[in-house]
Amino acid sequence: MAKPRKIIIDTDPGQDDAAAIMLAFGSPEELEVLGITTVAGNVPLSYTSRNARIVCELCGRPDMKVFAGADAPMARKLVTAEHVHGKTGLDGPELNEPAMPLQEQHSVDFIIETLRREPEGAVTLCTLGPLTNIGLAFQKAPDIIPRVRELVMMGGGFFEGGNITPAAEFNIYVDPEAAEIVFGSGIPIVMMPLDVTHQLLTQKGRIERMAELGTAPVKAMVEMLEFFERFDIEKYGSDGGPLHDPAVIAYLLKPELFKGRHCNVEIEVKSELTAGMTVIDWWHVTDRKRNAKVMRHVDADGFYDLLIERFARI
Ligand code: BDR
Ligand code: CA
């Protein structure tokens, strides 16, 4: 059997980030998580670093190395999303404060050191939040850029527009300068935009199936997702909320669930009106370099089958 793929999860938990981490931990045959690096995003860094450790402990992985990273975007003031995720970012269930330590090393240095240590082309970066840590790492140590196997991100939107402004998706909006560095780096990128994640609704039947697993970690996850979905249900009247970040991990496990196209993607960094917009050349109307595989369709039932199957292994 093939060796598990080595990944670093860069994240700003967030209930949907937590679901992505749980999915990765439920898939040890396919994925080896080398470390979890946190970034400010949904909530400030102190909370995302706390939350990542809570999720590790919840999943029975107190041995995981969690590193705190950037506490603010590269060139802008931090924008957070407590209106979606609650004050802590993991609002919903009652959770214990984590006992496991935070590593002393900064996320950016961990990313650099790991990419230099592991064989070239061995490490995949999975980004579930603003791209600040990756932008900083590429800026500080450009020699690591050609060593990255692939970067799979949740970020951006095109046909669905934005979710924090009419033009921009949250992760890219928070740090467009970092996103610009990443999209300009030349590494293989797979992008899970809102166009995909808005198809992954936490419909009632899906959450009920999840709840039937009955274990303590999944019970806490269900309570997180019930809190998380209330925002979209109230705002859009949808049947559940979009489970964004697990799409990244699901892609690594079952890429055949997703369909997309190799396109040019540029990031708007100048305009105030459209800051953080991902300008996707879906129709190839320019000769600009095709720098990302942009996903547009997903088999949502297949995705939830996978999620529930792997949650059952936690
Ligand atoms: C993204 O922003 C955050 O609120 C979610 O965790 C996800 O990563 C969706 O726009
Ligand atoms: Ca996130």
Side-chain angles (χ1 to χ4, degrees):
M1 207 166 107
K3 278 198 182 153
R5 185 164 170 168
K6 293 175 191 243
I7 65 171
I8 294 175
I9 301 180
D10 189 73
T11 176
D12 63 337
Q15 294 89 348
D16 61 321
D17 302 69
I21 295 168
M22 191 175 266
L23 178 58
F25 283 154
S27 311
E29 283 172 14
E30 293 100 334
L31 301 176
E32 179 187 353
V33 186
L34 300 176
I36 295 184
T37 53
T38 63
V39 65
N42 286 322
V43 285
L45 185 73
S46 55
Y47 273 126
T48 60
S49 304
R50 160 195 181 262
N51 295 349
R53 287 178 291 147
I54 288 179
V55 178
C56 289
E57 289 184 354
L58 202 61
C59 296
R61 292 298 306 272
D63 57 306
M64 182 51 50
K65 289 193 163 75
V66 177
F67 303 82
D71 62 2
M74 290 182 75
R76 299 177 190 241
K77 269 208 174 137
L78 178 65
V79 176
T80 52
E82 285 86 355
H83 59 293
V84 181
H85 300 272
K87 182 172 183 287
T88 68
L90 284 190
D91 279 19
E94 253 184 57
L95 296 164
N96 295 326
E97 288 306 311
M100 64 186 277
L102 196 55
Q103 299 298 306
E104 272 174 25
Q105 196 177 26
H106 192 282
S107 287
V108 169
D109 295 320
F110 170 73
I111 291 168
I112 294 171
E113 190 188 282
T114 307
L115 279 160
R116 283 180 178 160
R117 185 191 64 232
E118 294 289 339
E120 190 172 323
V123 178
T124 297
L125 301 174
C126 301
T127 64
L128 315 178
L131 289 158
T132 317
N133 287 333
I134 314 299
L136 289 169
F138 285 4
Q139 202 173 56
K140 187 169 176 186
D143 58 288
I144 64 171
I145 295 174
R147 304 185 67 80
V148 175
R149 170 167 169 181
E150 192 173 41
L151 184 147
V152 187
M153 72 165 72
M154 191 283 134
F158 195 62
F159 296 95
E160 287 282 301
N163 61 355
I164 184 80
T165 72
E169 179 280 329
F170 180 79
N171 289 340
I172 307 293
Y173 178 77
V174 172
D175 200 340
E177 283 74 19
E180 191 181 34
I181 291 176
V182 169
F183 279 93
S185 68
I187 58 169
I189 295 175
V190 177
M191 179 174 165
M192 293 292 166
L194 296 176
D195 309 312
V196 161
T197 65
H198 280 182
Q199 297 170 47
L200 298 174
L201 295 177
T202 54
Q203 294 170 351
K204 202 160 169 267
R206 291 169 174 164
I207 297 294
E208 277 168 5
R209 273 175 62 208
M210 210 179 272
E212 277 163 20
L213 295 175
T215 62
V218 176
K219 191 169 170 284
M221 179 57 61
V222 165
E223 289 175 25
M224 282 184 216
L225 297 181
E226 284 172 346
F227 179 89
F228 177 64
E229 67 182 8
R230 94 215 173 286
F231 175 79
D232 290 85
I233 293 173
E234 277 164 26
K235 190 157 183 199
Y236 306 108
S238 52
D239 183 5
L243 202 48
H244 307 282
D245 292 337
V248 167
I249 306 297
Y251 174 81
L252 296 179
L253 299 172
K254 271 198 163 189
E256 64 274 18
L257 291 174
F258 300 87
K259 282 204 180 67
R261 226 181 245 189
H262 209 205
C263 302
N264 172 264
V265 181
E266 301 292 334
I267 309 297
E268 177 57 64
V269 290
K270 292 199 185 89
S271 152
E272 210 177 297
L273 183 65
T274 57
M277 182 176 179
T278 45
V279 179
I280 299 175
D281 187 3
W282 183 259
W283 301 110
H284 304 319
V285 295
T286 70
D287 293 331
R288 291 198 287 257
K289 190 171 170 252
R290 298 180 188 183
N291 55 354
K293 223 188 266 172
V294 179
M295 295 302 157
R296 185 163 177 199
H297 301 288
V298 57
D299 167 0
D301 288 330
F303 167 88
Y304 275 96
D305 287 347
L306 175 69
L307 197 75
I308 292 166
E309 179 201 305
R310 298 307 164 98
F311 280 7
R313 298 184 189 174
I314 295 287

